[in-house]
Amino acid sequence: MSVAGLDDESLLTVQQVADWLKVEPRYVYRLASSGALLRVYVGRYVRVPVSSVRAYIKANTVEAVTPSLLRSARRTRSSASAEECLMGKRRGRRRRFGAIRRLPSGRYQARYTGPVA
């Protein structure tokens, strides 16, 4: 769908919005009912303003982070291993997590059992 020729006053059908966002029409209805997209009723038909779709796209656009920045942030955070942090072995803390296992990717997965009494 070409959106270059549309002004902000134009109204789109749910199918046109779904094609623009490359999602199912049900998801557009869900966005409209949750308030994320404005909707206009024309009789029994639902229409969505172009300005609302553009505002939704702008509000939900996230800038990508390069992997090198993530790695450097992880290295500088702490010298303790991930397992020690999860188990609470540093500085005499009590264990807060139930089952802790190491995933094949090298990360740890923990099940939180709640606050320690």
Side-chain angles (χ1 to χ4, degrees), residues 80-102 108-113 116:
S81 71
E83 187 175 11
E84 289 175 350
C85 292
L86 289 173
M87 296 292 289
K89 292 181 179 177
R90 294 183 353 182
R91 291 185 238 137
R93 292 187 195 155
R94 299 172 87 187
R95 180 177 168 177
R96 285 187 170 180
F97 294 93
I100 297 176
R101 65 182 182 140
R102 186 168 186 188
Y108 289 91
Q109 181 182 39
R111 186 180 70 217
Y112 183 66
T113 58
V116 178

mmCIF file of all heavy atoms in Angstrom, residues 80-102 108-113 116:
data_model
loop_
_atom_site.group_PDB
_atom_site.id
_atom_site.type_symbol
_atom_site.label_atom_id
_atom_site.label_comp_id
_atom_site.label_asym_id
_atom_site.label_seq_id
_atom_site.Cartn_x
_atom_site.Cartn_y
_atom_site.Cartn_z
ATOM 1 N N ALA A 80 31.134 -10.718 39.524
ATOM 2 C CA ALA A 80 30.559 -11.973 39.988
ATOM 3 C C ALA A 80 29.881 -12.689 38.831
ATOM 4 O O ALA A 80 29.388 -12.083 37.909
ATOM 5 C CB ALA A 80 29.548 -11.710 41.095
ATOM 6 N N SER A 81 29.870 -14.009 38.910
ATOM 7 C CA SER A 81 29.245 -14.787 37.845
ATOM 8 C C SER A 81 27.729 -14.671 37.944
ATOM 9 O O SER A 81 27.177 -14.311 38.980
ATOM 10 C CB SER A 81 29.658 -16.250 37.943
ATOM 11 O OG SER A 81 29.036 -16.845 39.062
ATOM 12 N N ALA A 82 27.066 -15.010 36.867
ATOM 13 C CA ALA A 82 25.608 -14.929 36.830
ATOM 14 C C ALA A 82 24.988 -15.899 37.820
ATOM 15 O O ALA A 82 23.993 -15.592 38.469
ATOM 16 C CB ALA A 82 25.108 -15.217 35.422
ATOM 17 N N GLU A 83 25.599 -17.073 37.972
ATOM 18 C CA GLU A 83 25.044 -18.055 38.902
ATOM 19 C C GLU A 83 25.136 -17.550 40.339
ATOM 20 O O GLU A 83 24.216 -17.725 41.128
ATOM 21 C CB GLU A 83 25.780 -19.385 38.759
ATOM 22 C CG GLU A 83 25.148 -20.483 39.579
ATOM 23 C CD GLU A 83 25.813 -21.815 39.328
ATOM 24 O OE1 GLU A 83 26.867 -21.853 38.687
ATOM 25 O OE2 GLU A 83 25.243 -22.812 39.789
ATOM 26 N N GLU A 84 26.238 -16.900 40.694
ATOM 27 C CA GLU A 84 26.368 -16.368 42.053
ATOM 28 C C GLU A 84 25.330 -15.292 42.322
ATOM 29 O O GLU A 84 24.773 -15.219 43.412
ATOM 30 C CB GLU A 84 27.767 -15.797 42.255
ATOM 31 C CG GLU A 84 28.853 -16.838 42.336
ATOM 32 C CD GLU A 84 30.224 -16.209 42.422
ATOM 33 O OE1 GLU A 84 30.340 -14.994 42.239
ATOM 34 O OE2 GLU A 84 31.162 -16.964 42.677
ATOM 35 N N CYS A 85 25.048 -14.464 41.324
ATOM 36 C CA CYS A 85 24.046 -13.420 41.506
ATOM 37 C C CYS A 85 22.660 -14.018 41.695
ATOM 38 O O CYS A 85 21.888 -13.569 42.530
ATOM 39 C CB CYS A 85 24.033 -12.474 40.312
ATOM 40 S SG CYS A 85 25.523 -11.496 40.175
ATOM 41 N N LEU A 86 22.340 -15.049 40.914
ATOM 42 C CA LEU A 86 21.029 -15.658 41.028
ATOM 43 C C LEU A 86 20.865 -16.419 42.329
ATOM 44 O O LEU A 86 19.801 -16.435 42.931
ATOM 45 C CB LEU A 86 20.786 -16.596 39.847
ATOM 46 C CG LEU A 86 20.569 -15.924 38.497
ATOM 47 C CD1 LEU A 86 20.503 -16.968 37.407
ATOM 48 C CD2 LEU A 86 19.317 -15.091 38.504
ATOM 49 N N MET A 87 21.918 -17.072 42.754
ATOM 50 C CA MET A 87 21.835 -17.869 43.974
ATOM 51 C C MET A 87 21.921 -17.015 45.222
ATOM 52 O O MET A 87 21.605 -17.465 46.304
ATOM 53 C CB MET A 87 22.959 -18.912 43.991
ATOM 54 C CG MET A 87 22.865 -19.951 42.886
ATOM 55 S SD MET A 87 21.470 -21.024 43.097
ATOM 56 C CE MET A 87 22.000 -21.976 44.482
ATOM 57 N N GLY A 88 22.356 -15.786 45.094
ATOM 58 C CA GLY A 88 22.457 -14.915 46.253
ATOM 59 C C GLY A 88 23.649 -15.227 47.121
ATOM 60 O O GLY A 88 23.614 -15.032 48.329
ATOM 61 N N LYS A 89 24.748 -15.713 46.545
ATOM 62 C CA LYS A 89 25.917 -16.087 47.323
ATOM 63 C C LYS A 89 26.800 -14.901 47.658
ATOM 64 O O LYS A 89 27.691 -15.011 48.476
ATOM 65 C CB LYS A 89 26.741 -17.124 46.562
ATOM 66 C CG LYS A 89 26.042 -18.452 46.427
ATOM 67 C CD LYS A 89 26.901 -19.450 45.702
ATOM 68 C CE LYS A 89 26.206 -20.775 45.598
ATOM 69 N NZ LYS A 89 26.978 -21.746 44.830
ATOM 70 N N ARG A 90 26.555 -13.770 47.011
ATOM 71 C CA ARG A 90 27.402 -12.610 47.292
ATOM 72 C C ARG A 90 26.924 -11.903 48.552
ATOM 73 O O ARG A 90 25.743 -11.790 48.815
ATOM 74 C CB ARG A 90 27.335 -11.630 46.135
ATOM 75 C CG ARG A 90 27.921 -12.161 44.882
ATOM 76 C CD ARG A 90 27.894 -11.159 43.792
ATOM 77 N NE ARG A 90 27.159 -9.960 44.163
ATOM 78 C CZ ARG A 90 26.945 -8.944 43.375
ATOM 79 N NH1 ARG A 90 27.399 -8.970 42.167
ATOM 80 N NH2 ARG A 90 26.275 -7.895 43.779
ATOM 81 N N ARG A 91 27.835 -11.453 49.345
ATOM 82 C CA ARG A 91 27.597 -10.648 50.538
ATOM 83 C C ARG A 91 26.582 -11.261 51.507
ATOM 84 O O ARG A 91 25.775 -10.564 52.089
ATOM 85 C CB ARG A 91 27.146 -9.245 50.132
ATOM 86 C CG ARG A 91 28.260 -8.460 49.493
ATOM 87 C CD ARG A 91 27.839 -7.063 49.227
ATOM 88 N NE ARG A 91 27.998 -6.852 47.792
ATOM 89 C CZ ARG A 91 27.144 -6.246 47.023
ATOM 90 N NH1 ARG A 91 26.039 -5.759 47.513
ATOM 91 N NH2 ARG A 91 27.368 -6.077 45.761
ATOM 92 N N GLY A 92 26.559 -12.565 51.622
ATOM 93 C CA GLY A 92 25.739 -13.227 52.639
ATOM 94 C C GLY A 92 24.239 -13.172 52.393
ATOM 95 O O GLY A 92 23.474 -13.311 53.326
ATOM 96 N N ARG A 93 23.806 -12.944 51.179
ATOM 97 C CA ARG A 93 22.368 -12.901 50.917
ATOM 98 C C ARG A 93 21.795 -14.310 50.917
ATOM 99 O O ARG A 93 22.474 -15.269 50.588
ATOM 100 C CB ARG A 93 22.092 -12.261 49.565
ATOM 101 C CG ARG A 93 22.434 -10.816 49.542
ATOM 102 C CD ARG A 93 21.988 -10.224 48.236
ATOM 103 N NE ARG A 93 22.635 -8.942 48.064
ATOM 104 C CZ ARG A 93 22.849 -8.381 46.913
ATOM 105 N NH1 ARG A 93 22.483 -8.976 45.812
ATOM 106 N NH2 ARG A 93 23.428 -7.216 46.834
ATOM 107 N N ARG A 94 20.515 -14.379 51.255
ATOM 108 C CA ARG A 94 19.845 -15.674 51.246
ATOM 109 C C ARG A 94 19.331 -15.972 49.852
ATOM 110 O O ARG A 94 19.054 -15.084 49.075
ATOM 111 C CB ARG A 94 18.691 -15.663 52.238
ATOM 112 C CG ARG A 94 19.185 -15.416 53.656
ATOM 113 C CD ARG A 94 18.037 -15.222 54.570
ATOM 114 N NE ARG A 94 17.599 -16.523 55.053
ATOM 115 C CZ ARG A 94 16.515 -16.697 55.781
ATOM 116 N NH1 ARG A 94 15.755 -15.683 56.096
ATOM 117 N NH2 ARG A 94 16.188 -17.891 56.198
ATOM 118 N N ARG A 95 19.176 -17.226 49.574
ATOM 119 C CA ARG A 95 18.723 -17.668 48.256
ATOM 120 C C ARG A 95 17.249 -17.314 48.056
ATOM 121 O O ARG A 95 16.420 -17.622 48.889
ATOM 122 C CB ARG A 95 18.922 -19.173 48.151
ATOM 123 C CG ARG A 95 18.492 -19.742 46.859
ATOM 124 C CD ARG A 95 18.792 -21.200 46.842
ATOM 125 N NE ARG A 95 18.122 -21.807 45.699
ATOM 126 C CZ ARG A 95 18.228 -23.051 45.379
ATOM 127 N NH1 ARG A 95 18.976 -23.840 46.112
ATOM 128 N NH2 ARG A 95 17.607 -23.534 44.348
ATOM 129 N N ARG A 96 16.938 -16.657 46.931
ATOM 130 C CA ARG A 96 15.574 -16.256 46.636
ATOM 131 C C ARG A 96 14.940 -17.083 45.531
ATOM 132 O O ARG A 96 13.752 -17.032 45.323
ATOM 133 C CB ARG A 96 15.532 -14.812 46.164
ATOM 134 C CG ARG A 96 15.720 -13.821 47.221
ATOM 135 C CD ARG A 96 15.482 -12.497 46.602
ATOM 136 N NE ARG A 96 15.420 -11.488 47.618
ATOM 137 C CZ ARG A 96 15.216 -10.225 47.384
ATOM 138 N NH1 ARG A 96 15.070 -9.819 46.160
ATOM 139 N NH2 ARG A 96 15.157 -9.362 48.351
ATOM 140 N N PHE A 97 15.721 -17.793 44.784
ATOM 141 C CA PHE A 97 15.205 -18.483 43.615
ATOM 142 C C PHE A 97 15.122 -19.969 43.879
ATOM 143 O O PHE A 97 15.910 -20.536 44.617
ATOM 144 C CB PHE A 97 16.097 -18.217 42.398
ATOM 145 C CG PHE A 97 16.067 -16.791 41.970
ATOM 146 C CD1 PHE A 97 16.995 -15.881 42.439
ATOM 147 C CD2 PHE A 97 15.084 -16.346 41.098
ATOM 148 C CE1 PHE A 97 16.949 -14.561 42.046
ATOM 149 C CE2 PHE A 97 15.032 -15.026 40.706
ATOM 150 C CZ PHE A 97 15.960 -14.131 41.172
ATOM 151 N N GLY A 98 14.137 -20.598 43.278
ATOM 152 C CA GLY A 98 13.960 -22.035 43.411
ATOM 153 C C GLY A 98 14.897 -22.762 42.473
ATOM 154 O O GLY A 98 16.083 -22.900 42.737
ATOM 155 N N ALA A 99 14.380 -23.208 41.360
ATOM 156 C CA ALA A 99 15.174 -23.979 40.404
ATOM 157 C C ALA A 99 15.990 -23.047 39.521
ATOM 158 O O ALA A 99 15.470 -22.097 38.957
ATOM 159 C CB ALA A 99 14.247 -24.825 39.539
ATOM 160 N N ILE A 100 17.284 -23.319 39.438
ATOM 161 C CA ILE A 100 18.173 -22.561 38.562
ATOM 162 C C ILE A 100 18.837 -23.557 37.640
ATOM 163 O O ILE A 100 19.350 -24.584 38.082
ATOM 164 C CB ILE A 100 19.234 -21.799 39.366
ATOM 165 C CG1 ILE A 100 18.569 -20.785 40.265
ATOM 166 C CG2 ILE A 100 20.229 -21.134 38.428
ATOM 167 C CD1 ILE A 100 19.530 -20.058 41.163
ATOM 168 N N ARG A 101 18.780 -23.258 36.355
ATOM 169 C CA ARG A 101 19.435 -24.151 35.414
ATOM 170 C C ARG A 101 20.142 -23.333 34.357
ATOM 171 O O ARG A 101 19.777 -22.198 34.079
ATOM 172 C CB ARG A 101 18.444 -25.104 34.762
ATOM 173 C CG ARG A 101 17.428 -24.416 33.906
ATOM 174 C CD ARG A 101 16.463 -25.415 33.328
ATOM 175 N NE ARG A 101 15.521 -24.722 32.459
ATOM 176 C CZ ARG A 101 15.096 -25.182 31.320
ATOM 177 N NH1 ARG A 101 15.484 -26.373 30.917
ATOM 178 N NH2 ARG A 101 14.246 -24.503 30.591
ATOM 179 N N ARG A 102 21.172 -23.935 33.793
ATOM 180 C CA ARG A 102 21.934 -23.275 32.742
ATOM 181 C C ARG A 102 21.423 -23.755 31.392
ATOM 182 O O ARG A 102 21.328 -24.958 31.155
ATOM 183 C CB ARG A 102 23.414 -23.583 32.878
ATOM 184 C CG ARG A 102 24.247 -22.802 31.911
ATOM 185 C CD ARG A 102 25.684 -22.895 32.229
ATOM 186 N NE ARG A 102 26.408 -21.998 31.336
ATOM 187 C CZ ARG A 102 27.702 -21.945 31.244
ATOM 188 N NH1 ARG A 102 28.436 -22.721 32.006
ATOM 189 N NH2 ARG A 102 28.278 -21.116 30.419
ATOM 190 N N TYR A 108 21.447 -18.270 32.224
ATOM 191 C CA TYR A 108 20.824 -18.963 33.335
ATOM 192 C C TYR A 108 19.345 -18.634 33.381
ATOM 193 O O TYR A 108 18.934 -17.519 33.113
ATOM 194 C CB TYR A 108 21.482 -18.555 34.658
ATOM 195 C CG TYR A 108 22.862 -19.099 34.805
ATOM 196 C CD1 TYR A 108 23.962 -18.392 34.372
ATOM 197 C CD2 TYR A 108 23.066 -20.338 35.372
ATOM 198 C CE1 TYR A 108 25.231 -18.892 34.499
ATOM 199 C CE2 TYR A 108 24.339 -20.856 35.508
ATOM 200 C CZ TYR A 108 25.414 -20.126 35.066
ATOM 201 O OH TYR A 108 26.669 -20.634 35.187
ATOM 202 N N GLN A 109 18.535 -19.632 33.744
ATOM 203 C CA GLN A 109 17.112 -19.441 33.901
ATOM 204 C C GLN A 109 16.761 -19.796 35.331
ATOM 205 O O GLN A 109 17.168 -20.831 35.848
ATOM 206 C CB GLN A 109 16.352 -20.342 32.933
ATOM 207 C CG GLN A 109 14.863 -20.176 33.018
ATOM 208 C CD GLN A 109 14.148 -21.128 32.081
ATOM 209 O OE1 GLN A 109 14.560 -22.274 31.939
ATOM 210 N NE2 GLN A 109 13.099 -20.672 31.441
ATOM 211 N N ALA A 110 15.986 -18.917 35.991
ATOM 212 C CA ALA A 110 15.648 -19.143 37.384
ATOM 213 C C ALA A 110 14.151 -19.013 37.586
ATOM 214 O O ALA A 110 13.491 -18.240 36.903
ATOM 215 C CB ALA A 110 16.372 -18.125 38.261
ATOM 216 N N ARG A 111 13.620 -19.765 38.527
ATOM 217 C CA ARG A 111 12.222 -19.647 38.892
ATOM 218 C C ARG A 111 12.169 -18.945 40.235
ATOM 219 O O ARG A 111 12.737 -19.409 41.224
ATOM 220 C CB ARG A 111 11.586 -21.035 38.986
ATOM 221 C CG ARG A 111 10.078 -20.939 39.216
ATOM 222 C CD ARG A 111 9.453 -22.297 39.307
ATOM 223 N NE ARG A 111 9.891 -22.915 40.566
ATOM 224 C CZ ARG A 111 10.162 -24.188 40.712
ATOM 225 N NH1 ARG A 111 10.055 -25.000 39.711
ATOM 226 N NH2 ARG A 111 10.543 -24.679 41.878
ATOM 227 N N TYR A 112 11.485 -17.821 40.273
ATOM 228 C CA TYR A 112 11.383 -17.002 41.473
ATOM 229 C C TYR A 112 10.350 -17.613 42.403
ATOM 230 O O TYR A 112 9.224 -17.872 42.008
ATOM 231 C CB TYR A 112 10.989 -15.582 41.098
ATOM 232 C CG TYR A 112 10.929 -14.626 42.251
ATOM 233 C CD1 TYR A 112 12.068 -14.269 42.942
ATOM 234 C CD2 TYR A 112 9.728 -14.081 42.643
ATOM 235 C CE1 TYR A 112 12.025 -13.385 43.984
ATOM 236 C CE2 TYR A 112 9.666 -13.194 43.691
ATOM 237 C CZ TYR A 112 10.807 -12.848 44.363
ATOM 238 O OH TYR A 112 10.752 -11.968 45.404
ATOM 239 N N THR A 113 10.708 -17.853 43.656
ATOM 240 C CA THR A 113 9.805 -18.478 44.597
ATOM 241 C C THR A 113 9.157 -17.465 45.537
ATOM 242 O O THR A 113 8.315 -17.823 46.321
ATOM 243 C CB THR A 113 10.528 -19.527 45.444
ATOM 244 O OG1 THR A 113 11.617 -18.899 46.125
ATOM 245 C CG2 THR A 113 11.028 -20.654 44.568
ATOM 246 N N VAL A 116 11.958 -13.909 50.752
ATOM 247 C CA VAL A 116 12.441 -14.764 51.833
ATOM 248 C C VAL A 116 11.935 -14.206 53.147
ATOM 249 O O VAL A 116 12.066 -13.027 53.444
ATOM 250 C CB VAL A 116 13.980 -14.799 51.828
ATOM 251 C CG1 VAL A 116 14.479 -15.650 52.981
ATOM 252 C CG2 VAL A 116 14.480 -15.325 50.516
#
